[in-house]
Amino acid sequence: MSNDYPPPGNYPSPGEYPQQGGYQQGGYEQQPVTPKNTVGTVALVLAILGVLFSWTIVGGIVLGLIAVVLGFIGRSRYKKRTATNGTVSLVAIILGFVAAALSIVLVVVGVGLFNAVGGQDFTDCMTNAGSDSAAQQQCADEFQQNVENQYGDSTPN
């Protein structure tokens, strides 16, 4: 007489079963695959830093473009189903482009303002001054005076 129940014994209660390393499939035990989310996460961190430091060339352009590249790598891993943070990678790509574009705009505006207040004259003066510190100081004073004349406080002291 065949019995479909296991023989009596001391069995663990539910929730106390020993953990298995994976599951059986076709006679081979497979370990669960850990998602490769690091690249997407690093891309997002760099993109955020790029936006925060977009007023610098390194901060905005360099970090932003690195974030874009890493974001595309993370997005590729998501599409291959080896990563689970596709949205994070997409946000990193978008923020990376924003950081780079914002930095480029700020650099162009900064160079334009520098030239508007006599920046080219200052550069030429410093080049002509060479290593003469008194001449360099005179160039700096003249440049400062130009900036104050154009954008300085017009109220009397």
Side-chain angles (χ1 to χ4, degrees), residues 15 53 138:
F53 293 104
Q138 184 179 356

Side-chain angles (χ1 to χ4, degrees), residues 14-112:
E16 293 180 1
Y17 290 100
Q19 294 294 322
Q20 299 286 326
Y23 57 90
Q24 291 291 117
Q25 179 181 359
Y28 297 102
E29 185 175 327
Q30 294 182 345
Q31 296 291 333
V33 177
T34 303
K36 296 179 181 180
N37 291 333
T38 305
V39 173
T41 304
V42 169
L44 182 61
V45 169
L46 291 178
I48 291 170
L49 289 174
V51 169
L52 291 175
F53 293 104
S54 61
W55 52 273
T56 66
I57 293 173
V58 172
I61 298 173
V62 174
L63 291 179
L65 293 179
I66 291 172
V68 168
V69 170
L70 292 178
F72 276 115
I73 293 171
R75 195 76 179 142
S76 172
R77 287 184 178 179
Y78 172 74
K79 289 180 180 178
K80 293 177 185 174
R81 301 197 185 274
T82 59
T84 58
N85 62 347
T87 304
V88 170
S89 297
L90 182 61
V91 170
I93 293 168
I94 294 168
L95 283 179
F97 277 127
V98 167
L102 184 60
S103 184
I104 290 169
V105 167
L106 290 175
V107 166
V108 168
V109 168
V111 168

